[in-house]
Amino acid sequence: MFRKDLSEEISGQNLAKTSVKKKMKQQLLNQYPSLETFIQDLFQKKNSIVVIKCSNKIQLFAFNNTVLFFSIRDGPFFPTLKLLHSYPDILPPIQVDEGAIRHIIGGADVMIPGLISKGGKLPEENIPKGSMIAIMAEDKKHALGIGVLEVETSQIPVVKKGVAAQTIHHLTDGLWNYISEK
Amino acid sequence: MTEALKVEYCPHCRLPPEYCQYGPCFSKCKVWLAEIHPEILESIKNIPKQTKKTEEKTEKKTKNTSNQETKQVENKKLIPNEEKEKEKGNTDGKIIISRSRRGGKKFITIIEGLSQFEVDLKKATKLFANKFSCGCNIEKDSDDTVCIQGDVHFSLPDVLLKEFKIPKTQIHLNEQITKAKKKSKKNKNNVPKHKQNRKKPTRKERLASNN
Ligand SMILES: [Zn+2]
């Protein structure tokens, strides 16, 4: 999703208007009810909120110079991995096995065999297709990526092969490099 | 409301330390890990084969002495820029897609090597112009380069596959963006006259001319 060098892709950035802020705050609160106080804090008047536009219709949202969320084609707000690391509960986790880590860090999608093998793990309750998930890994504490489910989780053990989730944002990708440079 | 977790990041590769082995500079990280997180380093050592392979690979990458074998095995995305430049020599029979930037946020997509696939360039330009609804023309000086006015490098491989049945493996995406126009590139060597002879004289020379 993100090319290796994101700074090349940035086409413009500007301060968010009040109307945009209001809309954004409401959407974020709806999407992440567990982060309420954190989000309320972000939208205090003294904080600067910058919208960074990139090519391919990606928008990054920086609060006081740290990118916390991004969106694709005005879609839902994705958290960045750093935010997910600090608040791991905001997305439901799926766990891949040791062997898949390398591929996902290389930018590959999450494949079903990596989830149903010995090291993989799926949440007990069903997660519908199209929802955001945190990609966790065997024996690791922190998430290594954020993806969107292509198959609902209850169907994953039945289907047995193919793509389980599209990887949107992962460690060492352009966005990660961009936010960890700062 | 959940409390924010404090996550430690490796100072070298900036990944969480447990992912250091997948980072670009594990040999550096190793030293740091051994000092501060020996338990993580040990858990990595305990895992056989697979991690060793990646280790070797990363080391090879840093040394920049990868063989052809590893080139074939490695995912393209993992290959650092320097190796890509090496690869450029081997792009015979491949279509090269690159972009150049015009002004602030306008791009031009440049495709080279279409004629190898027996594509009628004139028809292709029309088709691209139609598909991407933008200007498209054959570069004047060469007969094998097509310019598309706009940033379409994302969707281009799909279109090439559909329309001309060119497999994606034959398409080489050049991710570096050349900023200058092509014309100015040629002029790069010809420094404007008023700048040419402006070498700063050394102190000795200045003194000599004064005397
Ligand atoms: Zn490291």
Side-chain angles (χ1 to χ4, degrees):
Chain A
M1 203 67 224
F2 292 99
R3 317 235 112 202
K4 274 276 138 119
D5 193 357
L6 196 70
S7 52
E8 289 275 10
E9 308 267 324
I10 291 172
S11 55
Q13 43 182 298
N14 49 314
L15 281 170
K17 286 183 212 157
T18 333
S19 58
V20 178
K21 277 187 198 171
K22 261 187 196 167
K23 219 178 169 186
M24 216 157 96
K25 188 176 171 186
Q26 202 49 52
Q27 273 182 350
L28 281 174
L29 285 174
N30 286 343
Q31 224 184 311
Y32 304 104
S34 65
L35 286 183
E36 196 185 332
T37 43
F38 176 71
I39 290 168
Q40 295 285 7
D41 231 30
L42 285 180
F43 283 90
Q44 277 175 12
K45 269 198 175 156
K46 61 182 181 195
N47 290 352
S48 74
I49 302 173
V50 179
V51 182
I52 305 170
K53 284 189 177 167
C54 305
S55 48
N56 306 318
K57 310 276 177 196
I58 294 169
Q59 286 184 316
L60 314 180
F61 301 94
F63 298 77
N64 283 339
N65 291 327
T66 40
V67 179
L68 294 179
F69 297 98
F70 64 95
S71 70
I72 302 162
R73 291 179 190 278
D74 289 327
F77 287 95
F78 289 89
T80 60
L81 267 175
K82 283 230 163 132
L83 184 68
L84 182 65
H85 285 163
S86 317
Y87 297 98
D89 302 332
I90 55 178
L91 294 182
I94 58 170
Q95 184 181 311
V96 297
D97 60 11
E98 179 82 38
I101 300 176
R102 204 154 47 87
H103 299 288
I104 291 169
I105 284 185
D109 287 338
V110 182
M111 305 306 276
I112 290 178
L115 290 166
I116 52 178
S117 70
K118 212 178 162 195
K121 220 191 242 172
L122 288 168
E124 274 165 27
E125 72 271 32
N126 181 35
I127 304 171
K129 179 183 170 181
S131 44
M132 257 181 241
I133 37 92
I135 305 166
M136 312 296 287
E138 187 181 0
D139 295 332
K140 310 278 184 196
K141 256 193 292 181
H142 303 297
L144 84 154
I146 289 166
V148 169
L149 278 180
E150 301 261 304
V151 188
E152 58 178 317
T153 48
S154 63
Q155 284 298 309
I156 284 176
V158 184
V159 184
K160 284 186 180 164
K161 61 184 173 185
V163 178
Q166 195 195 351
T167 308
I168 302 288
H169 169 37
H170 59 88
L171 290 178
T172 74
D173 72 354
L175 179 61
W176 173 262
N177 292 339
Y178 185 73
I179 54 180
S180 48
E181 263 167 26
K182 279 191 174 170
Chain B
M1 176 65 195
T2 43
E3 282 278 308
L5 275 180
K6 277 207 171 172
V7 185
E8 197 183 10
Y9 296 103
C10 165
H12 298 289
C13 58
R14 290 178 175 136
L15 295 170
E18 51 188 10
Y19 289 108
C20 266
Q21 53 171 316
Y22 303 102
C25 51
F26 186 47
S27 42
K28 265 191 203 169
C29 300
K30 247 189 201 168
V31 182
W32 177 78
L33 277 176
E35 259 178 46
I36 301 182
H37 295 290
E39 75 284 354
I40 291 176
L41 192 62
E42 230 160 73
S43 71
I44 290 170
K45 274 181 186 166
N46 286 341
I47 300 161
K49 284 177 192 175
Q50 271 194 335
T51 50
K52 267 187 188 173
K53 267 183 196 169
T54 52
E55 224 175 277
E56 277 168 22
K57 270 185 189 173
T58 48
E59 267 168 29
K60 265 180 192 168
K61 265 188 228 160
T62 49
K63 281 176 191 170
N64 219 351
T65 55
S66 64
N67 307 327
Q68 280 192 335
E69 284 177 20
T70 49
K71 254 188 203 172
Q72 284 167 358
V73 173
E74 271 175 22
N75 195 335
K76 258 193 187 170
K77 282 172 188 168
L78 287 174
I79 303 171
N81 283 336
E82 288 155 337
E83 280 187 16
K84 258 184 197 166
E85 278 169 13
K86 271 188 190 173
E87 261 197 355
K88 267 183 195 171
N90 305 332
T91 45
D92 294 341
K94 269 192 177 181
I95 284 180
I96 305 166
I97 297 174
S98 53
R99 290 182 293 164
S100 76
R101 177 174 286 183
R102 299 257 156 121
K105 54 174 182 178
K106 289 188 173 162
F107 291 96
I108 281 178
T109 314
I110 301 159
I111 318 160
E112 288 166 271
L114 271 180
S115 60
Q116 296 158 13
F117 292 88
E118 294 173 1
V119 175
D120 185 350
L121 284 187
K122 269 190 185 172
K123 273 183 191 167
T125 52
K126 275 210 171 154
L127 190 131
F128 289 145
N130 219 335
K131 272 259 143 106
F132 302 123
S133 54
C134 63
C136 178
N137 57 300
I138 305 170
E139 187 94 329
K140 266 180 192 171
D141 307 326
S142 70
D143 41 68
D144 201 15
T145 311
V146 175
C147 290
I148 303 174
Q149 309 283 325
D151 185 7
V152 293
H153 76 290
F154 251 58
S155 36
L156 197 57
D158 293 320
V159 174
L160 288 177
L161 182 67
K162 250 191 193 171
E163 300 293 332
F164 305 116
K165 290 181 183 149
I166 298 166
K168 284 187 182 175
T169 48
Q170 290 299 313
I171 296 171
H172 181 83
L173 258 180
N174 193 354
E175 286 188 28
Q176 280 175 340
I177 297 170
T178 48
K179 273 179 190 167
K181 288 180 184 180
K182 271 215 158 175
K183 277 175 192 169
S184 60
K185 239 187 198 173
K186 280 173 195 168
N187 292 338
K188 251 184 189 173
N189 298 330
N190 314 336
V191 184
K193 268 183 188 171
H194 62 278
K195 279 186 183 173
Q196 258 173 4
N197 296 326
R198 259 203 197 168
K199 260 189 191 170
K200 264 195 177 174
T202 58
R203 203 172 166 232
K204 272 182 188 175
E205 279 169 351
R206 254 185 290 154
L207 284 174
S209 65
N210 280 344
N211 291 334

